[in-house]
């Protein structure tokens, strides 16, 4: 019998990446398909609150651990006139959303969303339209949201029933402006100049806001790298973050490449960081641009989606990109979260795209139930456990060569330590086995006394995903399990953990300095 593969993870209390920003566990609500209507908002639903928002979805959002929600897009924002979506609902007119070819009923807008976020204790992340609009409209929206009484747009908000400013801190300067699919698509110079002027005006309205410039829509864009460099050459002194978007899928059953998606994400982050730092170095600037990874997920973009331009013009919240996920997809989502935690120093903001129905961990039926997809569980556990600082682990593991990503390690790991008083605290360890065989992981922890008390494990499946709550519950019952405490390590010795094939594991416990 061949010897089982082994990996080593070294954890030391003094080797730290950086603090884990709670905004890393954000999500995304766009006016697409059923993400808003019959997803987040359904006045006739049995669980609807007095404002028309589904309580069952809000409860699952809370369980998911979402801290930040980006709104209203996404591609939708690039032909959105925000002023048309405020004020009395009965006076609002439906319009054609050009991005997803849907008649937008215009019943949920800025106030409805921001008040929902406030009630749920979620930080909003707003986007402004730099596709078909520009500087004045962007500054006006900041004034509407954040301004005090006595100015035009703030007084409009007050007249619409909201006296207190919303205090929105985080703002996106458009969306995917490098993409030819974007309404109002621009080249890097056009966008860079516009973003700089819009950002300048927005910060003159409210100097305390944070701004996100559009980065590349994916690492596969032909303009990747040069786009970031050019955009930041205009916006470096104005913005705080640059965006990243990335989606991954299982192509033609190539499980090894799919399970190695976290390596592709890691390389993407490193390349954007290098480009941003090069612009800063050229400018002799001490400022450090960080990343808002405000769209990431598993999305079967190539194999299941025909493209927005091929959608018929529809109304009444059509079913658009409602991917049904497997436990394999859940393991990959867990691995992508490992990558994000391991870049905590440069990725303070990240948004799982999206939150409800459209490529989402939460699904609903109109007038029916809401349920968790398999991708729900690794996000919820990571958001719950990843606290304090991300530790800089040293991982030694066998590798495998994949068709899409070249060599990828078979084991990935991340850890956080919430050492509140500087000596001990909660420890969380996240491990992924990308291999089809079990792997023994030797966790060495010099300088720390580690006690792991339990955890959760998600196993990849080999069955096709089937739509509906019954199948999702069946997958969870078969692939998700609660773990007891592994054998205890002693002193500054080693703790051994066995990882099941193609699995994501989250372990929790405590760690104290020796």
């Amino acid at each position: 019998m061949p010897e089982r593969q082994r990996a080593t993870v070294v954890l030391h209390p003094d080797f730290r990446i950086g603090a884990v920003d709670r905004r890393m566990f954000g999500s995304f609500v766009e006016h697409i398909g059923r993400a808003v209507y019959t997803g987040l908002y359904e006045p006739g639903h049995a669980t609807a609150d007095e404002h028309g928002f589904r309580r069952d979805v809000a409860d699952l959002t809370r369980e998911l651990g979402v801290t930040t929600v980006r709104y209203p897009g996404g591609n939708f924002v690039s032909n959105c006139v925000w002023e048309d979506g405020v004020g009395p609902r009965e006076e609002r007119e439906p319009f054609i959303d050009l991005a997803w070819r849907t008649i937008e009923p215009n019943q949920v807008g800025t106030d409805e969303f921001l008040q929902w976020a406030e009630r749920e204790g979620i930080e909003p992340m707003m986007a402004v339209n730099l596709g078909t609009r520009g500087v004045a409209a962007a500054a006006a929206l900041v004034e509407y949201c954040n301004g005090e009484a006595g100015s035009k747009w703030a007084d409009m908000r007050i007249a619409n029933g909201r006296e207190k400013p919303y205090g929105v801190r985080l703002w996106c300067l458009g969306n995917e402006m490098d993409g030819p699919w974007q309404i109002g698509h621009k080249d890097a110079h056009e966008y860079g100049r516009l973003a700089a002027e819009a950002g300048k005006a927005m910060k003159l309205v409210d100097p305390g806001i944070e701004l996100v410039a559009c980065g590349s829509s994916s690492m596969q864009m032909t303009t990747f790298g040069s786009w970031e460099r050019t955009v930041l050459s205009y916006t470096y002194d104005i913005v705080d973050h640059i965006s990243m978007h990335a989606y991954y899928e299982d192509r033609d059953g190539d499980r090894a490449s799919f399970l190695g998606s976290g390596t592709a994400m890691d390389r993407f982050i490193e390349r954007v960081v290098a480009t941003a730092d090069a612009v800063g170095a050229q400018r002799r600037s001490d400022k450090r641009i960080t990343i808002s990874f405000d769209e990431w997920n598993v999305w079967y973009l190539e194999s299941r989606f025909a493209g927005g331009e091929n959608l018929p013009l529809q109304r009444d919240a059509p079913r658009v990109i409602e991917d049904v996920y497997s436990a394999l997809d859940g393991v990959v989502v867990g691995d992508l979260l490992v990558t994000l935690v391991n870049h905590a120093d440069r990725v303070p903001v990240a948004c799982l795209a999206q939150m409800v129905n459209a490529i989402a961990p939460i699904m609903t039926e109109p007038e029916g139930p809401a349920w968790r997809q398999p991708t729900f569980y690794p996000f919820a556990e990571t958001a719950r456990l990843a606290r304090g600082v991300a530790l800089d682990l040293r991982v030694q593991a066998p590798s495998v060569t994949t068709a899409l990503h070249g060599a990828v390690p078979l084991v990935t790991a991340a850890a956080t330590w919430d050492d509140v008083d500087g000596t001990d605290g909660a420890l969380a360890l996240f491990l992924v086995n990308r291999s089809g065989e079990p792997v023994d992981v030797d966790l060495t922890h010099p300088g720390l006394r580690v006690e792991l008390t339990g955890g959760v494990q998600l196993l990849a499946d080999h069955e096709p995903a089937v739509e509906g709550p019954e199948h999702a519950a069946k997958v969870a019952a078969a692939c998700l399990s609660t773990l007891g405490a592994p054998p205890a390590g002693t002193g500054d010795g080693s703790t051994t953990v066995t990882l099941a094939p193609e699995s994501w594991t989250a372990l929790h416990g405590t760690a104290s300095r020796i």
Side-chain angles (χ1 to χ4, degrees):
M1 184 178 228
E3 186 177 348
R4 184 178 290 174
Q5 295 193 92
R6 302 193 75 88
T8 301
V9 175
V10 181
L11 181 156
H12 194 283
D14 294 334
F15 298 159
R16 304 180 177 210
I17 296 169
V20 177
D21 194 313
R22 299 309 302 160
R23 297 178 299 177
M24 182 184 290
F25 304 107
S27 194
F28 180 26
V29 171
E30 180 176 3
H31 287 252
I32 173 177
R34 298 192 309 115
V36 175
Y37 304 107
T38 74
L40 203 65
Y41 176 80
E42 187 178 352
H45 194 269
T47 70
D49 63 18
E50 61 183 306
H51 308 282
F53 286 82
R54 288 181 60 150
R55 187 69 250 164
D56 57 350
V57 171
D59 289 344
L60 286 176
T61 301
R62 189 179 299 272
E63 181 185 336
L64 186 61
V66 170
T67 56
T68 304
V69 173
R70 181 171 173 247
Y71 177 87
N75 296 346
F76 173 85
V77 77
S78 289
N79 80 303
C80 172
V81 178
W82 70 264
E83 302 96 309
D84 293 344
V86 299
R89 284 195 178 102
E90 63 273 14
E91 296 179 10
R92 301 181 198 174
E93 295 180 341
F95 63 90
I96 297 176
D97 165 37
L98 301 178
W100 303 109
R101 291 184 48 75
T102 302
I103 305 297
E104 165 59 43
N106 213 7
Q107 294 301 289
V108 173
T110 300
D111 288 295
E112 289 81 16
F113 169 74
L114 290 177
Q115 289 169 28
W116 172 85
E118 186 175 69
R119 291 192 300 272
E120 299 306 321
I122 289 170
E123 180 179 354
M125 179 182 189
M126 294 291 289
V128 299
N129 177 359
L130 294 188
T132 57
R133 307 192 77 191
V135 176
L141 182 55
V142 176
E143 182 185 325
Y144 184 88
C145 292
N146 293 359
E148 299 286 349
S151 64
K152 174 182 177 179
W153 299 108
D155 286 348
M156 177 186 284
R157 182 196 71 240
I158 294 168
N160 288 335
R162 171 72 182 206
E163 183 172 352
K164 180 183 177 183
Y166 292 110
V168 179
R169 299 267 68 84
L170 197 54
W171 294 82
C172 300
L173 295 167
N175 174 76
E176 293 185 353
M177 298 307 298
D178 63 326
W181 58 84
Q182 200 70 210
I183 307 301
H185 160 64
K186 296 168 176 61
D187 67 30
H189 291 281
E190 292 175 301
Y191 170 72
R193 283 190 289 265
L194 176 59
E197 291 304 311
K200 180 173 69 177
M202 292 163 72
K203 282 195 170 181
L204 286 170
V205 173
D206 185 348
I209 63 176
E210 295 177 44
L211 296 177
V212 182
C214 288
S216 293
S217 302
S218 77
M219 194 165 61
Q220 286 67 47
M221 298 295 291
T222 57
T223 54
F224 170 62
S226 64
W227 173 274
E228 282 80 0
R229 184 176 64 252
T230 301
V231 167
L232 287 175
S233 73
Y234 291 101
T235 63
Y236 200 94
D237 296 331
I238 297 292
V239 304
D240 304 276
H241 318 282
I242 189 161
S243 73
M244 292 177 60
H245 293 179
Y247 296 98
Y248 305 94
E249 63 182 290
D250 183 358
R251 293 181 172 87
D252 301 320
D254 182 0
R255 291 173 76 93
S257 291
F258 186 41
L259 286 161
S261 297
T263 296
M265 177 188 265
D266 181 72
R267 292 168 182 164
F268 190 11
I269 293 171
E270 289 179 350
R271 289 165 186 171
V272 173
V273 166
T275 304
D277 287 350
V279 175
Q282 187 177 30
R283 299 170 70 87
R284 299 172 180 83
S285 174
D286 293 330
K287 179 180 180 179
R288 189 169 73 161
I289 297 292
T290 53
I291 290 167
S292 173
F293 212 133
D294 48 48
E295 288 189 32
W296 70 271
N297 203 350
V298 171
W299 177 11
Y300 287 83
L301 178 61
E302 294 185 8
S303 58
R304 299 181 190 171
F305 183 53
E309 70 278 6
N310 295 314
L311 293 171
L313 186 62
Q314 301 176 88
R315 63 175 70 241
D316 300 325
R319 295 176 186 265
V320 178
I321 61 169
E322 295 192 7
D323 277 7
V324 180
Y325 290 120
S326 66
L328 172 62
D329 298 321
V331 170
V332 172
V333 165
D335 194 30
L336 297 172
L337 285 159
V338 165
T339 301
L340 291 174
V341 171
N342 281 331
H343 288 281
D345 59 331
R346 298 305 292 265
V347 186
V349 181
C351 300
L352 179 71
Q354 293 192 15
M355 194 172 80
V356 190
N357 287 328
I359 53 171
I362 300 171
M363 298 297 293
T364 72
E365 272 298 311
E367 302 181 359
W371 65 94
R372 307 164 189 82
Q373 292 228 63
T375 55
F376 183 102
Y377 304 104
F379 188 100
E381 282 298 303
T382 306
R384 184 175 70 87
L385 295 174
R387 304 275 173 166
V389 296
L391 296 178
D392 190 3
L393 306 181
R394 294 294 181 267
V395 181
Q396 292 185 331
S399 63
V400 64
T401 300
T402 65
L404 291 180
H405 314 305
V408 304
L410 289 181
V411 172
T412 62
T416 62
W417 188 33
D418 195 10
D419 57 333
V420 177
D421 62 3
T423 57
D424 57 18
L427 177 73
L429 179 64
F430 307 96
L431 298 159
V432 177
N433 179 8
R434 296 166 169 173
S435 165
E437 302 294 331
V439 175
D440 287 334
V441 176
D442 297 319
L443 173 66
T444 64
H445 34 85
L448 278 179
R449 180 174 288 104
V450 171
E451 181 182 1
L452 297 174
T453 54
V456 173
Q457 177 180 259
L458 181 65
L459 305 177
D461 52 7
H462 291 264
E463 300 296 324
V466 178
E467 183 178 4
E470 295 82 6
H471 181 77
K474 179 182 175 182
V475 171
C479 300
L480 184 71
S481 59
T482 301
L483 303 176
T490 57
D492 61 353
S494 176
T495 302
T496 299
V497 177
T498 299
L499 303 181
E502 295 183 343
S503 65
W504 168 86
T505 301
L507 298 170
H508 56 80
T510 59
S512 57
R513 289 182 183 271
I514 297 172

